[in-house]
Amino acid sequence: ELVGLVARAPRGRTLVASRAGVVLVCVHVAAALVIGAAVFGRGDRPYAGVGHDRWVLVHLHLAVLGWLTLLIVTVGRTLGPMLALAPSAPPRRVPLTELVLACGLWVLVAGIATDRRALELVGGAAVISALVGFAARMAPLLARHRLPLEAPLAHMAAGAVFLLQAAVLGAAIATTAVSPKRALAAYV
């Protein structure tokens, strides 16, 4: 239904979220749901040569990065300036941030599933670069306001702190600077 609403939205008008971003969010939430159900249904047995623990990580990344984070990026581009009473972002032809985030995510989960560190690093770097670009656009909006921030802006700022924490910890795990067994629970 959501994809249908986006498809029927009038062209040439500003939407609260990019059409491509909403479709990508829907794809990721569906993929996370299907993989989550498959992981739960199979128990601890490997599937397609991938162990249970790796499938759980693939599911979590699709849900957290592909659904929630991508939704925040997709909607936040318009909603952030609106909540901050700032000028809206200029129109764009291609939703580059959303596309880089989605492509990086799929490279990352391919690396996780196949246990290929190089794919994990490349995908993670793409995801982080997309999020840094988004944060660079949102930071001046937050800086314009005095504390205490209104709830939606405070929520965005807190989410950014947690994403930064996960990005640093994920990069430390992927580069083996930190033992995955010790840091995985904190990362999740």
Side-chain angles (χ1 to χ4, degrees), residues 49 77 93 100 111 126 128-129 168 171:
R77 182 175 189 282
R93 296 185 61 86
V100 169
I128 289 171
S129 71
V168 168

Side-chain angles (χ1 to χ4, degrees), residues 169-182:
L169 195 50
I173 291 169
T175 59
T176 66
V178 174
S179 164
K181 292 191 185 292
R182 292 196 64 191

Side-chain angles (χ1 to χ4, degrees), residues 15-105:
L15 298 179
V16 174
S18 76
R19 288 171 176 80
V22 171
V23 170
L24 287 169
V25 166
C26 291
V27 166
H28 288 109
V29 77
L33 179 66
V34 168
I35 290 174
V39 167
F40 179 75
R42 291 198 57 82
D44 291 339
R45 297 180 313 225
Y47 178 70
V50 178
H52 174 77
D53 57 339
R54 292 201 170 273
W55 278 120
V56 169
L57 281 174
V58 167
H59 163 72
L60 288 171
H61 281 85
L62 286 172
V64 173
L65 292 175
W67 172 32
L68 295 174
T69 304
L70 187 58
L71 182 63
I72 290 167
V73 168
T74 298
V75 175
R77 182 175 189 282
T78 305
L79 195 58
M82 186 178 6
L83 292 171
L85 301 174
S88 63
R92 57 192 178 156
R93 296 185 61 86
V94 177
L96 191 59
T97 305
E98 292 93 324
L99 292 173
V100 169
L101 181 76
C103 290
L105 171 60

Side-chain angles (χ1 to χ4, degrees), residues 1 3-11 19:
E1 187 174 331
V3 172
L5 285 172
V6 169
R8 291 188 304 271
R11 300 284 178 210
R19 288 171 176 80

